[in-house]
Amino acid sequence: MKHLLGIEELGREGIERILDRAESFEGVASRDIQKVPALRGRLIVNLFYEASTRTTSSFELAAKRLSADVISVRSSGSSVEKGESLKDTIATLDAYEPAAIVVRHPRAGAAHLVSKWTRASVINAGDGAHAHPTQALLDVHTLRGRIGALDGRNIWIVGDISHSRVARSTAKAFSLMGARVTLAGPPTLLPPGIGVALGCEEATTLAKIGDADIVYALRMQHERMTGGDIPSLAEYSTHYAVTEARLRPDQLVMHPGPVNRGVEIGGDVVDSGRSLIAQQVAAGVAVRMAVLYELLAGAEKDGRMREVTAA
Ligand code: NCD
């Protein structure tokens, strides 16, 4: 596999292979030297056209733990601000001969375009409301670590489904792993046909949220809203916020971050023992190490087989 643009490319077998490897990378953080030499001498470029804390820092850390060289380019402060196009930016970065380009962009399809313009492997770190495959992988990894196999589990993904690339990728991944997924939110934030398209149930109220084993809250994506999607944040919260009052004691809660406390999720839920949010962040590093390893280790480059030392 050369690129990772969408979770569906992996299928259940691919997801399991990557997450098994992620598990083996988990111990690297607790070593005296927090590194393995797998990608020594290879260059990874992080190219982020949208805000990010978790994704960019965990990709950077993942690359460093695999002993790769990393450069991180953000659109603000780069020549993108001087009008350089995505294509020309990729041509510039490609000249450094990176092994991989990790790209986040506000437009759906951007990562696919980048993969046509570079010789590097491309990893989609979020393209508009379309896909975020590494988030889906780390979400499955977090849940597997906590509850084991996802087969037959009930998972509700709640909130701004419409603008969420996380909802699209994570719902697909949970379904591929055998879970029963329900997409829940106000009708204005549930695009028509999305349940059928993703093989999920739909709910427009939280009346049956008690059916869920896991509740996955989504951030309200203000930056992608064009107005009129919801009457007000206060009204949204009244009906759809994931709060302690709405949950059974044994239900687990996830959120991709960044969290808007008091909007889509109660602060008390974020800070409770049922929250897996910190585990999701921690999983990001080992999972992204495993993705980089999957795409780059042992791959043929310039006709030469690179010698790679496994973890
Ligand atoms: C998500 C994203 O950017 O798609 N964040 C993340 O990667 N952890 C979700 C979000 O911004 O709401």
Side-chain angles (χ1 to χ4, degrees):
M1 198 169 113
K2 168 125 192 195
H3 308 294
L4 179 61
L5 304 177
I7 193 75
E8 58 281 355
E9 296 156 16
L10 291 173
R12 181 169 182 154
E13 203 187 306
I15 293 175
E16 283 174 346
R17 184 178 61 247
I18 290 178
L19 298 189
D20 287 346
R21 184 161 291 135
E23 221 174 292
S24 74
F25 281 139
E26 244 148 19
V28 175
S30 48
R31 294 185 187 180
D32 282 348
I33 296 174
Q34 297 172 306
K35 273 182 192 290
V36 288
L39 298 183
R40 193 168 48 202
R42 318 282 299 268
L43 172 64
I44 316 277
V45 174
N46 273 333
L47 176 61
F48 278 63
Y49 283 80
E50 270 190 352
S52 170
T53 302
R54 280 150 282 266
T55 309
T56 184
S57 57
S58 59
F59 263 115
E60 200 170 316
L61 200 50
K64 287 179 174 164
R65 291 212 170 138
L66 292 168
S67 306
D69 295 318
V70 198
I71 47 177
S72 292
V73 180
R74 291 203 179 244
S75 53
S76 72
S78 76
S79 290
V80 170
E81 283 190 340
K82 299 179 182 169
E84 190 167 47
S85 71
L86 178 60
K87 191 171 184 178
D88 287 338
T89 302
I90 296 303
T92 301
L93 296 170
D94 189 65
Y96 303 138
E97 302 210 22
I101 298 179
V102 178
V103 63
R104 168 170 289 188
H105 196 279
R107 298 280 180 181
H112 177 78
L113 283 175
V114 170
S115 73
K116 306 280 168 222
W117 296 332
T118 176
R119 296 162 289 173
S121 286
V122 174
I123 300 171
N124 186 1
D127 60 333
H130 176 232
H132 194 353
T134 59
Q135 178 72 42
L137 286 168
L138 74 86
D139 289 335
V140 173
H141 192 65
T142 303
L143 262 191
R144 281 211 320 176
R146 178 65 177 251
I147 63 168
L150 306 195
D151 295 283
R153 297 299 191 141
N154 254 313
I155 305 177
W156 278 46
I157 301 181
V158 180
D160 181 4
I161 308 288
S162 182
H163 302 96
S164 177
R165 53 193 174 213
V166 173
R168 284 170 181 76
S169 289
T170 295
K172 280 185 202 163
F174 285 158
S175 300
L176 282 167
M177 299 307 290
R180 295 209 306 272
V181 180
T182 300
L183 303 173
T188 47
L189 295 177
L190 267 179
I194 188 143
V196 175
L198 298 178
C200 303
E201 302 289 316
E202 290 180 20
T204 53
T205 74
L206 299 192
K208 293 195 175 156
I209 200 167
D211 292 349
D213 300 305
I214 293 102
V215 177
Y216 193 113
L218 296 169
R219 183 176 66 86
M220 291 298 281
Q221 308 258 315
H222 311 276
E223 72 276 23
R224 290 186 229 288
M225 291 190 183
T226 48
D229 288 312
I230 49 166
S232 71
L233 285 179
E235 182 150 350
Y236 172 84
S237 302
T238 306
H239 298 287
Y240 296 100
V242 175
T243 56
E244 280 296 328
R246 290 206 158 98
L247 298 170
R248 277 188 286 107
D250 59 330
Q251 286 176 301
L252 297 172
V253 172
M254 303 176 76
H255 190 300
V259 161
N260 290 138
R261 285 172 185 253
V263 179
E264 70 272 356
I265 188 168
D268 47 357
V269 177
V270 175
D271 298 329
S272 70
R274 64 165 89 244
S275 163
L276 299 181
I277 298 171
Q279 288 91 317
Q280 288 173 272
V281 174
V285 179
V287 166
R288 289 175 171 127
M289 286 172 81
V291 168
L292 290 168
Y293 188 93
E294 168 89 8
L295 299 183
L296 305 181
E300 207 169 336
K301 189 170 175 284
D302 303 331
R304 267 176 304 147
M305 276 304 284
R306 294 214 159 216
E307 213 176 82
V308 172
T309 317

